[in-house]
Amino acid sequence: MTRSERIADQLDRHWHRNLRPRLHGLADEEYFWEPVRGCWSIRPRGTSAAPTSAGSGEWTMDCASPDPAPAPAPVTTIAWRLAHIIVSCLGYRVGWHFGGQDVDSQTFTYAGTADEALKQLDEMYGRWNAGVRELSDAELESPPTVGSERFPMEGIVLHVNRELIHHGAEICLLRDLYRWQDEAVPQPTARQVAPSLVAFPQ
């Protein structure tokens, strides 16, 4: 196993064993659920109350850029957090480092349904993971020549690993809160494991 494959497997193991199975069955109502007032989310164009919004399609993402983010930062919905992973964590870097169409928050077409968002997530994660696996040791040790990050590529990959584990855990917690709201007893769900080409030891 190469050095890049070991780094990719750190996230890929978590993705297939923990995070992606927890997203099965995500419905639109839960995708847009706002646990508190003033949440940031993905909204129909023209309906956002956030300082600004991003996106080129019928749905836009609440944000504050280029203005400073509100303090304290708003709670964000599952829809918002998935969009953040798809565009900010993965999309920009896939476009910079692994070819294909450039991704930008202002021109991205955000998903108006949970199913569409999960398709975007799977596509972007697949492209990222495949690209990381092909990196040479020399590429891992060198800063990339494109994009805004000027530190070794290995550090960028490890940062993305941390971001997906971190934000994925936030989404899983929101799913737990949604199921248990108003002290309702959640329905049991069958655990599914996302398919992987990598065999992991038990």
Side-chain angles (χ1 to χ4, degrees), residues 10 12 24 57 64-65 68 83 85 99 105-106 108 119 135 154 163 179 181 200:
Q10 180 193 49
D12 207 40
H24 287 303
S65 180
I85 291 174
S105 61
Q106 294 300 322
F108 190 76
K119 289 177 183 176
L135 292 170
E154 183 172 13
E163 282 285 279
R179 290 192 180 112
Q181 61 181 316
F200 298 117

Side-chain angles (χ1 to χ4, degrees), residues 96-119:
W96 289 336
H97 309 308
F98 302 132
Q101 184 177 359
D102 287 343
V103 175
D104 182 86
S105 61
Q106 294 300 322
T107 59
F108 190 76
T109 302
Y110 291 97
T113 68
D115 284 346
E116 184 182 356
L118 293 178
K119 289 177 183 176

